[in-house]
Amino acid sequence: MRFSHLDHVGIAVEDFEAAVTRYTALHGVPPAHVTTVPSEQVQVAMFAVGPTKIELLAATDPQSPIARFIAKRGPGLHHIAYAVTDFDASVAALQAEGLTPIQRPTAFGAEGHRVAFFHPKETGGVLIEIVSANFSK
């Protein structure tokens, strides 16, 4: 298994509109993609930076994973996401390496890709996400 590339860096924010305004000013363009992912109770804005993206994540429910993250650690870096070309093989390979998925690996992310998150306890405190490099569901 090899990562294709760094897909995005996820940043947890408290005030979605203020963060989108700030990052729009920083990038000089509005987000390439804005959506809500009801299953994750999160509002998302994606800013393209070359082949990599910055993903702003804001809770839509006070009990959501992002709300709990911010309550515990404050806003800031939430996760890094790697694109993979063979999603199922990559999930299996990471599990064989001792990484623990923290949600069902068949979930779909903000841009329609298959995604899986792996617990930060096995990666030096960094939440890792893998993202299918193609849109085949």
Side-chain angles (χ1 to χ4, degrees):
M1 175 210 57
R2 293 188 189 242
F3 298 135
S4 170
H5 62 275
L6 182 64
D7 186 75
H8 67 270
V9 175
I11 301 171
V13 301
E14 293 178 303
D15 183 331
F16 187 73
E17 295 305 321
V20 168
T21 298
R22 166 57 77 195
Y23 277 79
T24 297
L26 288 171
H27 290 99
V29 294
H33 184 77
V34 177
T35 192
T36 300
V37 182
S39 63
E40 298 301 318
Q41 302 169 310
V42 68
Q43 193 170 14
V44 176
M46 291 281 205
F47 289 88
V49 183
T52 305
K53 298 171 285 255
I54 300 295
E55 178 184 47
L56 303 180
L57 303 153
T60 60
D61 183 282
Q63 299 305 313
S64 72
I66 292 297
R68 291 192 311 269
F69 175 89
I70 290 172
K72 185 174 181 179
R73 295 179 182 88
L77 180 64
H78 180 259
H79 68 273
I80 58 173
Y82 296 99
V84 297
T85 54
D86 187 332
F87 184 81
D88 293 322
S90 297
V91 168
L94 290 171
Q95 288 178 299
E97 289 292 325
L99 274 66
T100 306
I102 59 171
Q103 71 179 51
R104 68 191 197 297
T106 57
F108 290 92
E111 295 181 300
H113 297 280
R114 293 176 70 193
V115 299
F117 287 89
F118 291 87
H119 204 285
K121 69 182 176 187
E122 291 106 10
T123 56
V126 178
L127 180 62
I128 299 292
E129 176 185 13
I130 61 166
V131 179
S132 174
N134 56 42
F135 283 96
S136 62
K137 297 177 183 179

